Amino acid sequence: MNILIIGGGGREHTFAWKIAQSPKCNQLFVAPGNAGTAAIATNLPLAVNDFEGIKTAVIAQAIELVIVGPEDPLVHGIHDFFLADQQLKNIPVIGPQQSAAALEGSKEFAKAFMKRHNIPTAQYASFTPDTLEEGIAYLAQMTPPYVLKADGLAAGKGVLIIEDLAEAQHQLKAMLVDQKFGAASSKVVIEEFLSGIELSCFVLTDGKNHKTFPMAKDYKRIGEGDTGLNTGGMGAISPVPFADEAFLKKIDEQIVLPTVNGLHKDGLPYCGFIFIGLIKVGDRPMVIEYNVRMGDPETEVVLPRIKNDWVELMQATAAGRLNEVDLLVDPRSAVTVMLVSGGYPEAYEKGKEIQGLPTENESILFHAGTQLKDGKVMTSGGRVMAVTSFGEDFGDALKTSYATIANITFEGMNYRKDLGFDL
Ligand code: AMP
Ligand code: GLY
């Protein structure tokens, strides 16, 4: 079958790499893709929110399956757009419909969902410009640090964690009244601060059945020892050593099952990936957030460990037959190290030539912000490339990634050399 992947980062290159291995895939397209996907698929120069452009391409290329990578088109209703169109309605889309994508599109919606289904998460209350004074009073009776979250999508920047009460109250006003994060912060969720170690859980569901993927841990801060600014992710590891069998059982019973059943009970149509951001508080898993997509760079370590034919897995999901599938997982550890542009996550330069890319290697290179220009691979984003390797444990796998990275250069290249330091 002909398949279209929507998106253009490391996650989408990983999907493409996995799908290209399937004998069931005839022609593979990625919109917009990057230099990595260009080598194994056909890139289509379309923005992820250009639904009309995507429709034209789907018809022209006789696409039979669409896999949506990022949250933006899902929160904007791409699945609903397909269902409402006579020519597109029978083409399966992997990704939730808009009403269910609100799990990521609205923090308040996600919190209310968790409360309704008894899913462990931080205590919270939400406020609007009309209830600013109540919000200021609510903060005053909480214990620091204060967690303030813009309700809507804010490109990963909408969460503030603040020690000082007066500053938290000031920021609440800045979010609600001065629209610090635009319309996304016209509602703000204030929550209890949870202390613990975070991990990412990915679930594939067809709306009734589900498969839980292997756990992963990502490293979000730019600096070693988890210091400095937040990034889109500097690397990831799977499996997560502290997530032992007893802890995984708690995740399944207390979080994954109530989530999948809750979606079903609430009539929220969900055929796709659920990303559950977890935190281990004592020995208890709690939910920090939901995303309605796979994580990046977690995908770059989770997918290589899944041995199933990816097209078969997607077809079973679209057909509501996930109960008939056995998930086959590689027991080895996988790690990925993200190479980023100098200056990232603040202002950085792009358009640097990447040199020394190995053609054959023990690592797998997943491109994120890259672009082909006159046959050369150039940087085109902050996160440039994820270098994934396998090993008996994550330390072993890391050695292989770092050995591969030793050959690669571009002006300003930066990466973290301490992944797994906390495990
Ligand atoms: P989110 O966008 O919801 O993932 O939040 C971004 C980051 O803020 C998370 O990955 C956590 O590190 C942190 N965070 C969010 N909510 C809480 C909380 N209630 N307690 C502690 N840390 C939090
Ligand atoms: N790695 C975190 C995310 O994809 O949001």
Side-chain angles (χ1 to χ4, degrees):
M1 58 164 43
N2 294 349
I3 299 171
L4 171 65
I5 300 167
I6 296 182
R11 168 181 49 215
E12 289 76 21
H13 185 193
T14 313
F15 282 154
W17 168 83
K18 191 78 179 117
I19 289 170
Q21 295 167 32
S22 170
K24 295 199 158 189
C25 177
N26 181 20
Q27 289 193 70
L28 179 60
F29 299 89
V30 189
N34 57 37
T37 61
I40 53 175
T42 305
N43 285 349
L44 302 174
L46 289 167
V48 299
N49 282 322
D50 178 5
F51 295 177
E52 288 297 338
I54 290 170
K55 172 180 171 175
T56 306
V58 164
I59 294 168
Q61 309 296 349
I63 303 288
E64 296 163 271
L65 174 71
V66 178
I67 301 169
V68 186
E71 67 278 11
D72 230 39
L74 292 166
V75 171
H76 288 109
I78 191 166
H79 196 148
D80 311 65
F81 174 84
F82 270 66
L83 290 173
D85 188 290
Q86 280 310 316
Q87 289 169 285
L88 302 179
K89 67 179 184 192
N90 294 320
I91 299 168
V93 175
I94 303 297
Q97 289 172 50
Q98 193 167 25
S99 56
L103 273 189
E104 180 165 358
S106 164
K107 303 269 187 202
E108 187 193 38
F109 179 89
K111 295 299 281 190
F113 175 88
M114 288 185 262
K115 197 170 175 185
R116 196 157 58 240
H117 300 292
N118 283 315
I119 296 166
T121 189
Q123 294 292 330
Y124 78 104
S126 56
F127 300 92
T128 62
D130 290 340
T131 55
L132 171 66
E133 289 309 319
E134 280 120 323
I136 286 175
Y138 184 80
L139 282 169
Q141 52 83 49
M142 292 187 87
T143 38
Y146 306 95
V147 182
L148 273 56
K149 299 186 172 183
D151 180 62
L153 290 186
K157 295 191 170 69
V159 176
L160 301 181
I161 298 179
I162 301 168
E163 284 294 334
D164 180 68
L165 176 61
E167 174 63 13
Q169 291 171 325
H170 171 76
Q171 288 298 338
L172 179 66
K173 178 168 175 285
M175 288 169 91
L176 286 174
V177 181
D178 310 328
Q179 305 237 323
K180 183 177 174 118
F181 299 107
S185 67
S186 58
K187 204 182 269 173
V188 172
V189 170
I190 299 179
E191 36 175 81
E192 163 202 12
F193 179 82
L194 300 175
S195 183
I197 187 161
E198 290 177 57
L199 71 161
S200 308
C201 170
F202 299 96
V203 176
L204 177 62
T205 181
D206 60 20
K208 302 186 294 281
N209 313 289
H210 75 275
K211 296 288 161 193
T212 304
F213 289 169
M215 299 294 140
K217 185 175 190 333
D218 80 339
Y219 288 82
K220 288 202 178 88
R221 304 290 201 93
I222 187 74
E224 280 161 18
D226 281 347
T227 54
L229 293 174
N230 256 326
T231 70
M234 295 295 289
I237 285 175
S238 176
V240 179
F242 65 79
D244 58 15
E245 216 163 296
F247 190 64
L248 293 178
K249 190 160 176 268
K250 283 183 202 163
I251 294 175
D252 249 329
E253 289 174 357
Q254 297 171 17
I255 292 169
V256 175
L257 264 176
T259 298
V260 175
N261 292 340
L263 288 166
H264 192 67
K265 268 188 217 152
D266 291 353
L268 296 169
Y270 210 116
C271 173
F273 306 101
I274 315 171
F275 170 167
I276 314 180
L278 296 173
I279 185 163
K280 183 172 183 270
V281 182
D283 57 5
R284 196 166 175 227
M286 296 181 78
V287 179
I288 290 272
E289 63 162 351
Y290 287 111
N291 296 306
V292 296
R293 52 175 172 84
M294 290 293 291
D296 194 350
E298 292 96 324
T299 301
E300 288 92 308
V301 291
V302 171
L303 257 62
R305 294 190 62 217
I306 296 176
K307 296 193 197 171
N308 299 65
D309 181 302
W310 200 253
V311 179
E312 275 177 22
L313 201 56
M314 296 298 102
Q315 284 179 310
T317 307
R321 295 189 279 101
L322 264 183
N323 55 319
E324 296 172 14
V325 175
D326 283 321
L327 200 65
L328 307 170
V329 176
D330 190 323
R332 290 177 299 167
S333 285
V335 305
T336 201
V337 181
M338 189 66 75
L339 307 181
V340 304
S341 297
Y344 174 81
E346 296 183 276
Y348 58 84
E349 284 181 51
K350 343 188 222 196
K352 307 292 180 194
E353 186 180 353
I354 307 172
Q355 287 173 312
L357 285 176
T359 44
E360 240 176 79
N361 195 265
E362 283 178 272
S363 304
I364 316 164
L365 272 51
F366 294 121
H367 292 223
T370 70
Q371 218 171 22
L372 267 186
K373 220 175 186 177
D374 307 324
K376 291 178 182 163
V377 182
M378 314 293 284
T379 67
S380 66
R383 292 195 297 167
V384 172
M385 191 173 289
V387 181
T388 296
S389 308
F390 280 107
E392 288 314 311
D393 53 37
F394 72 81
D396 192 30
L398 272 171
K399 276 187 206 147
T400 305
S401 280
Y402 289 134
T404 300
I405 291 169
N407 299 306
I408 305 174
T409 53
F410 58 85
E411 196 187 315
M413 182 174 106
N414 181 27
Y415 60 96
R416 270 182 67 169
K417 298 164 192 77
D418 70 334
L419 299 191
F421 77 96
D422 53 343
L423 298 174

